[in-house]
């Protein structure tokens, strides 16, 4: 608007939905920069962002705030951008509780309620929603252990939700495994005591090592072991069965499944009434336990996640079709899901060339039929770092979609609209690098990233 006067500018702004304040641009570069800016607008606003009907204000109850603002801010800001107020239900003393605290503006109210997962958990959530002074339109959580109880509260309150039984299946790795077509390759035990009788059976004589042992209830690859013989199997099953023995709701179940070679992926899928409206596939690089000489004590903790995936398009399609089927079998038709799986007999593998580990195509031809081996389904968005990575790379906000999904069918239009990625594809390749903890101790700095930039300022430009 270089040649527009104040009165004319006021007329333009009164008809605009927003504005962009740019940096000073030299006159000789104005036309080129204007074209580049228009291109970016078209790339980022490639979704149908106009609606015929006005968008009403909505209100949701959110169960369990996160541990700090650094791993939650974008989620709460997404709600504000959508015109959705948050009523936070959390244990007393949480950092979002103070009405005059620095982040009080992120929520409409804070309800101090015990959210410990015990027999009274669901009823406490129901009571908190019923006694709140304003109507609640939706109820949600992204806490794995609280998903079934919150879904049951929705059922009692008549709020939109997937079946609570579906969340129970997704949270139980034994139930998840038994729903798969290849369930016959695995064993599920209700406790470690079942192992001895099973080993004496015909099924026990058919075990092929290496195998993977994990608790039926668990997350973050905790207490997951790769075993190479019968002695290690017995030890790993006992350890996995004891992992949650002292929890508020004890679980002794164990899953024993084959160790599957092949690239592992994180697959994030958005379903709406059974239709896959968005997905992204990310490469989960080999873990310590994937090493050729890895012992039982090696872990499956993530090392780095790279998006988008380098797998060929036919294997990406295979993953999408297979994982959608797995999600539907559990009883879901809508939601945001974070799945972990491997491509068995993939055409790709990891190689280390000149000290750089990366995925590349195998030299030998494809001999066996490829298939997808499901590890787990998490019926919620991926973790905060991964969700933000997808937002930066593809322009899709999983937290915004999850918020809209908990409001039901009235939000179908906005769910479809916000499931559109950037028109021109991903902005870049992005890597989430996980620095593993190798020993106990005190961190030398509170923020390793900031400390790295202080010591090497030349890295900031990258």
């Amino acid at each position: 608007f270089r040649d527009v006067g104040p009165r004319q500018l006021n007329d333009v702004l009164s008809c605009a939905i927003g504005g962009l304040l740019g940096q000073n641009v030299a006159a000789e570069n104005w036309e080129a920069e204007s074209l580049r800016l228009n291109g970016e607008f078209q790339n980022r606003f490639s979704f149908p962002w106009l609606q015929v009907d006005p968008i009403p204000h909505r209100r949701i109850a959110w169960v369990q705030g996160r541990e700090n603002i650094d791993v939650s801010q974008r989620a709460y800001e997404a709600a504000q951008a959508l015109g959705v107020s948050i009523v936070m239900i959390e244990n007393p003393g949480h950092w979002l509780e103070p009405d005059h605290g620095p982040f009080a503006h992120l929520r409409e109210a804070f309800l101090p309620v015990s959210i410990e997962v015990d027999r009274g958990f669901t009823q406490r959530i129901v009571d908190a929603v019923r006694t709140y002074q304003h109507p609640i339109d939706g109820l949600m959580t992204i806490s794995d252990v609280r998903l079934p109880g919150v879904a049951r509260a929705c059922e009692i309150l008549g709020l939109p939700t997937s079946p609570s039984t579906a969340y129970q299946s997704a949270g139980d790795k034994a139930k998840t495994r038994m729903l798969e077509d290849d369930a016959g390759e695995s064993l599920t035990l209700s406790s470690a005591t079942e192992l001895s009788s099973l080993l004496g059976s015909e099924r026990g004589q058919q075990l092929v090592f290496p195998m993977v042992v994990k608790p039926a209830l668990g997350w973050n690859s905790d207490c997951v072991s790769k075993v190479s013989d019968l002695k290690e199997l017995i030890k790993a099953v006992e350890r996995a069965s004891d992992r949650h023995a002292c929890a508020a709701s004890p679980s002794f179940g164990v899953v024993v499944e084959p160790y599957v070679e092949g690239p592992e992926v994180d697959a994030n899928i958005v379903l709406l009434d059974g239709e896959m409206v968005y997905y992204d596939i990310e490469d989960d690089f080999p873990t310590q336990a994937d090493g050729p000489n890895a012992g039982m004590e090696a872990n499956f903790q993530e090392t780095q996640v790279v998006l988008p995936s380098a797998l060929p398009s036919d294997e990406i399609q295979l993953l999408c079709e297979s994982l959608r089927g797995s999600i539907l079998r559990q009883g879901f038709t809508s939601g945001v899901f974070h799945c972990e799986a491997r491509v068995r007999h993939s055409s790709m593998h990891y190689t280390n060339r000149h000290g750089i580990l990366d995925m590349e195509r195998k030299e030998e031809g494809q001999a066996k039929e490829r298939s997808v081996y499901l590890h787990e389904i998490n019926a919620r968005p991926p973790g905060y770092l991964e969700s933000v990575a997808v937002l930066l790379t593809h322009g899709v906000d999983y937290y915004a979609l999850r918020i809209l999904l908990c409001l039901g069918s009235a939000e179908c239009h906005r769910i479809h609209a916000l499931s559109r990625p950037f028109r021109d594809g991903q902005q870049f390749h992005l890597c989430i690098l996980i620095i593993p903890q190798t020993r106990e101790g005190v961190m030398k700095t509170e923020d390793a990233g900031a400390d790295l930039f202080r010591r090497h300022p030349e890295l900031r430009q990258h």
Side-chain angles (χ1 to χ4, degrees), residues 66-86:
R66 311 311 285 172
E67 55 266 34
N68 57 56
I69 189 63
D70 293 330
V71 294
S72 57
Q73 185 169 354
R74 283 184 179 268
Y76 302 141
E77 290 176 345
Q80 290 184 329
L82 293 168
V84 177
S85 296
I86 292 177

Side-chain angles (χ1 to χ4, degrees), residues 95-374:
W95 56 271
L96 275 171
E97 181 173 11
D99 288 336
H100 300 290
F103 306 111
H105 64 282
L106 296 174
R107 64 7 172 229
E108 175 181 283
F110 184 95
L111 305 184
V113 175
S114 170
I115 59 169
E116 298 305 312
V117 183
D118 52 27
R119 290 185 178 180
F121 169 67
T122 295
Q123 190 58 50
R124 290 194 299 274
I125 302 304
V126 170
D127 293 342
V129 171
R130 282 177 171 167
T131 57
Y132 187 62
Q133 57 185 323
H134 299 298
I136 297 291
D137 302 304
L139 175 63
M140 65 168 282
T141 186
I142 53 175
S143 166
D144 289 315
V145 70
R146 295 173 176 86
L147 285 167
V150 169
R152 181 63 190 132
C154 288
E155 291 170 340
I156 295 170
L157 293 163
L159 295 173
T161 184
S162 296
S164 58
T165 53
Y167 284 106
Q168 290 170 356
S169 294
D172 188 323
K173 292 180 174 59
K175 291 181 179 179
T176 296
R177 171 71 8 229
M178 289 300 101
L179 287 171
E180 293 300 292
D181 294 335
D182 53 12
E185 299 178 282
S186 306
L187 309 174
T188 59
L189 311 172
S190 59
S191 68
T193 57
E194 292 183 2
L195 182 61
S196 57
S197 59
L198 191 145
L199 291 176
S201 67
E202 182 180 352
R203 178 70 186 90
Q205 302 303 312
Q206 298 172 349
L207 298 180
V208 178
F209 293 96
M211 302 195 79
V212 175
V213 179
K214 57 189 178 184
L217 174 68
W219 41 87
N220 296 330
S221 301
D222 178 47
C223 205
V224 180
S225 305
K226 179 182 175 184
V227 298
S228 301
D229 54 41
L230 192 58
K231 183 179 179 181
E232 289 185 346
L233 173 64
I234 294 171
K235 182 179 179 181
V237 166
E238 291 176 347
R239 184 168 67 181
S241 183
D242 289 342
R243 181 65 183 90
H244 301 289
C246 298
S249 300
S251 172
F252 304 94
V254 180
V255 178
V256 181
E257 59 189 25
Y259 172 74
V260 176
E261 294 186 348
E264 183 170 353
V265 300
D266 284 358
N268 302 307
I269 293 173
V270 182
L271 291 184
L272 182 61
D273 297 329
E275 175 193 356
M276 187 182 300
V277 295
Y278 182 71
Y279 70 87
D280 86 278
I281 309 296
E282 306 161 8
D283 293 326
D284 215 342
F285 272 50
T287 66
Q288 189 183 86
D290 288 315
N293 301 313
M296 178 183 167
E297 299 306 318
N299 63 64
F300 284 93
Q301 298 294 322
E302 291 181 334
T303 54
Q304 57 181 319
V305 178
V306 177
L307 61 157
S309 173
L311 289 173
S313 58
D314 57 339
E315 294 186 16
I316 295 290
Q317 188 63 31
L318 179 65
L319 280 161
C320 290
E321 293 175 358
S322 177
L323 293 175
R324 175 180 174 273
S326 296
I327 294 168
L328 294 176
R329 278 194 293 274
Q330 290 195 328
F332 295 102
T333 56
S334 298
V336 181
F337 303 91
H338 174 64
C339 309
E340 297 180 15
R342 290 187 187 240
V343 180
R344 205 176 214 167
H345 309 308
S346 171
S347 61
M348 308 290 284
H349 67 158
Y350 285 96
T351 60
N352 193 322
R353 296 185 183 276
H354 309 295
I356 298 176
L357 181 68
D358 205 353
M359 188 188 292
E360 63 178 37
R361 187 171 291 276
K362 294 177 180 177
E363 294 181 0
E364 66 271 19
Q366 189 68 35
K368 297 182 179 180
E369 183 180 0
R370 287 166 290 183
S371 62
V372 174
Y373 192 88
L374 174 69

Side-chain angles (χ1 to χ4, degrees), residues 318-449:
L318 179 65
L319 280 161
C320 290
E321 293 175 358
S322 177
L323 293 175
R324 175 180 174 273
S326 296
I327 294 168
L328 294 176
R329 278 194 293 274
Q330 290 195 328
F332 295 102
T333 56
S334 298
V336 181
F337 303 91
H338 174 64
C339 309
E340 297 180 15
R342 290 187 187 240
V343 180
R344 205 176 214 167
H345 309 308
S346 171
S347 61
M348 308 290 284
H349 67 158
Y350 285 96
T351 60
N352 193 322
R353 296 185 183 276
H354 309 295
I356 298 176
L357 181 68
D358 205 353
M359 188 188 292
E360 63 178 37
R361 187 171 291 276
K362 294 177 180 177
E363 294 181 0
E364 66 271 19
Q366 189 68 35
K368 297 182 179 180
E369 183 180 0
R370 287 166 290 183
S371 62
V372 174
Y373 192 88
L374 174 69
H375 286 315
E376 61 182 50
I377 295 173
N378 300 286
R380 42 88 180 151
Y384 189 73
L385 286 180
E386 195 168 318
S387 291
V388 172
V390 172
L391 177 60
L392 295 174
T393 305
H394 299 290
V396 174
D397 190 334
Y398 287 132
Y399 288 116
L401 292 171
R402 181 65 185 88
I403 290 166
L404 293 175
L405 282 159
C406 87
L407 291 168
S409 59
E411 294 293 352
C412 286
H413 176 86
R414 287 206 286 178
I415 292 169
H416 276 289
L418 296 181
S419 296
R420 300 271 190 96
F422 294 137
R423 183 199 62 181
D424 299 335
Q426 78 270 5
Q427 293 201 91
F428 35 60
H429 280 80
L430 188 149
C431 175
I432 303 172
L433 178 65
I434 293 90
I435 302 174
Q437 175 185 320
T438 56
R439 63 181 186 275
E440 293 182 356
V442 178
M443 293 286 290
K444 293 181 179 179
T445 175
E446 292 184 2
D447 190 329

